[in-house]
Amino acid sequence: MTASPLKTGSTIGILGGGQLGRMLALAAADLGFDARIFTPEDDSPASRVAAGATVAPYSDLDAVTRFASECDVVTYEFENVPAATAEAAGAHAPLRPGPKALAIAQDRLAEKTFANGLGIETVAFADVVSPADLEAAIKTLGASAILKTRREGYDGKGQVRITPEMLKGPGWAEKAFAAVGSAPSILEAFAPFVHEVSIIAARGEDGATAFYPLTENRHEGGVLRESRAPAAVSPATAKRGQEIARAMLGALDYVGVIGIELFELPDGRLLLNEFAPRVHNSGHWTPDACVCGQFEMHIRAVAGWPLGNPTQLAPAVMTNLFGEDVLAAPELAKEPGARVHVYGKRDLVPGRKTGHVTRVG
Ligand SMILES: Nc1ncnc2c1ncn2[C@@H]1O[C@H](COP(=O)(O)OP(=O)(O)O)[C@@H](O)[C@H]1O
Ligand SMILES: [Mg+2]
C-alpha cells in the first residue's frame, strides 16, 4: 500500500492519452507529481505534456505491469479500460477509482440496476439480446424509446432512436437490432426531460466528499455542445443531485472524481442517465470558475491528499470546439472573460472534440 498522502515527486499513472489525460497530467504537474501516460496512441495529447509515456495496446498486460510498477498510484481517463488491464495495473499499484466503479460504469444494464438499488430513479429499461426481446420490450416500455449497446457507447454512438412510425415498417426490430451491431443491448424508455444536468463530485481516501454545483448541459446528436453552471434548478433539485452523488460515491467506496449525468423531469425529479468514473466534459468549466477544478480535485483524491474546495466563484459557460473550430483559438482568446483550452490533437477530425472555451462571469 502506498504511503498516504503521496509525496510530491511521486508518479501518477494515467491509463488513456486523450484530452482528459492531458488535463489530468497538467494538474498533476501543478502539484509536483510526475504523470506517466499509458496509451495505444503514438504522440497522444496527454503524452506530450507528461513526464513519460508507455505506448502499447491495453491488451499488452506485460506492458501494463511494467507501467504500473513504475507508478505510485494508477488512475484512468476513460471508462472502457478492459477489466484485465485494470486488474493487471491494480496488482502493482493502487487503482483509483477501484474496479467496482469501472465494471458498473462499463455496462448500462449494471449501471441502471445499481442506481435503482440505491433508490435512484432511472428511465424504465429492459435487457435486449435479440429482435424478439426488442419487440417484447417495446410492448412494456412504449413506442418512444432508445436502443443502446450495453457496452462501449460514447457520444451517442451505438444507439438507435425508436419512434412509433418506425414500428409500422416490416422487420423493424431486426433492422434496429442490426443497427446496434446485434450486440447485447438495453432498451430505454425515452425520458421527457426539461433539462439535462450533471453533477461532478469527488470522494477522498478518507471518505470526505466535495460537490460542484449542478451543471446544465446541451447535447446535439448525442454529443455535448455546451455546459452552463450553475444550472437553473430549484434548491430541492440541487439538493437531490447532491444526494444522488453522495449515495453513489459511498456505495462504490469511491476515490476520485465522478461525473453523473441526469435528466430533470418537468416536476423537478432527477433520473440517472449514466455516470463516468472519471473527470467529465461537463466539468471542464470548473478549473476556470471554481477554487479547485475537477482535474486538481481528482489528482488530490487519488494521491490521498485532502480534497480541494469546489466553491464556484463566478457563473460559467463552457462550449466545446470540434474539428477545425479550434483554429479560431487566437480569436476566441481576445474575448475578455474567455479561457481557451486546446487539446493539441494532431488530426483535427470533423466532429471530434479538439478544445473548449469557458466564458466566465
Ligand atoms: N432514455 C433517454 N431519453 C431521452 N434522451 C436520451 C435518453 N438516453 C440518451 N438520451 C440522449 O442522448 C444523449 C447521449 O446518451 P448517453 O446515454 O448519455 O450516451 P453516451 O454514452 O453516448 O453519452 C444523452 O445525453 C441524451 O441527450
Ligand atoms: Mg452520456
Side-chain angles (χ1 to χ4, degrees):
M1 206 49 206
T2 326
S4 188
L6 221 57
K7 282 211 251 349
T8 282
S10 302
T11 299
I12 297 184
I14 300 171
L15 302 172
Q19 64 265 23
L20 301 180
R22 178 179 173 103
M23 292 183 273
L24 285 169
L26 291 169
D30 209 20
L31 294 179
F33 297 115
D34 281 349
R36 285 194 67 86
I37 308 297
F38 188 101
T39 170
E41 190 193 344
D42 263 325
D43 200 28
S44 76
S47 309
R48 295 210 304 283
V49 303
T54 299
V55 179
Y58 292 110
S59 57
D60 184 345
L61 300 184
D62 290 336
V64 174
T65 297
R66 277 196 303 277
F67 171 81
S69 308
E70 293 167 1
C71 298
D72 297 295
V73 63
V74 174
T75 187
Y76 41 91
E77 60 122 41
F78 81 127
E79 61 274 37
N80 289 325
V81 173
T85 307
E87 196 186 318
H92 295 89
L95 180 75
R96 296 181 181 149
K100 184 177 179 190
L102 194 58
I104 295 174
Q106 284 179 353
D107 180 346
R108 295 186 192 278
L109 188 66
E111 191 174 38
K112 288 190 169 59
T113 307
F114 167 74
N116 290 167
L118 295 175
I120 299 167
E121 291 183 277
T122 61
V123 292
F125 59 92
D127 190 6
V128 170
V129 296
S130 67
D133 283 351
L134 179 54
E135 284 183 44
I138 282 287
K139 290 203 179 91
T140 47
L141 300 188
S144 190
I146 304 188
L147 183 65
K148 301 180 183 176
T149 56
R150 280 172 61 174
R151 296 178 161 273
E152 309 250 302
Y154 70 98
D155 281 353
K157 293 179 175 58
Q159 303 192 7
V160 182
R161 176 85 164 88
I162 313 273
T163 58
E165 294 69 56
M166 264 177 75
L167 306 188
K168 292 177 192 141
W172 70 267
E174 282 76 12
K175 282 182 204 151
F177 193 58
V180 294
S182 304
S185 294
I186 172 173
L187 186 73
E188 297 184 10
F190 195 78
F193 59 79
V194 285
H195 296 120
E196 284 195 72
V197 297
S198 58
I199 182 161
I200 309 298
R203 187 166 176 274
E205 207 188 21
D206 58 356
T209 48
F211 305 94
Y212 292 98
L214 244 67
T215 304
E216 184 174 330
N217 302 314
R218 192 168 55 77
H219 292 83
E220 274 170 31
V223 184
L224 182 68
R225 291 280 149 180
E226 190 180 275
S227 292
R228 284 178 179 266
V233 294
S234 71
T237 301
K239 180 160 167 277
R240 180 61 189 147
Q242 270 200 21
E243 283 169 8
I244 289 172
R246 187 185 301 281
M248 292 181 62
L249 290 170
L252 293 167
D253 194 19
Y254 200 87
V255 177
V257 164
I258 193 170
I260 304 173
E261 299 179 14
L262 303 159
F263 296 133
E264 188 197 357
L265 298 182
D267 62 5
R269 262 189 310 145
L270 294 175
L271 305 183
L272 177 115
N273 172 29
E274 61 173 350
F275 75 92
R278 53 165 169 80
V279 289
H280 194 260
N281 193 172
S282 72
H284 283 7
W285 58 274
T286 58
D288 299 326
C290 298
V291 177
C292 176
Q294 65 168 347
F295 303 101
E296 179 182 333
M297 186 73 86
H298 185 75
I299 296 297
R300 283 173 174 243
V302 302
W305 280 34
L307 293 183
N309 177 353
T311 302
Q312 185 174 359
L313 303 172
V317 180
M318 186 286 309
T319 308
N320 276 333
L321 303 173
F322 296 89
E324 295 192 347
D325 291 357
V326 81
L327 298 177
E331 277 304 303
L332 292 165
K334 281 187 194 160
E335 266 182 57
R339 296 218 59 218
V340 185
H341 302 268
V342 178
Y343 303 156
K345 295 197 175 169
R346 295 294 193 210
D347 298 320
L348 303 182
V349 181
R352 295 300 290 271
K353 295 165 189 168
T354 47
H356 67 270
V357 53
T358 309
R359 294 179 171 99
V360 183

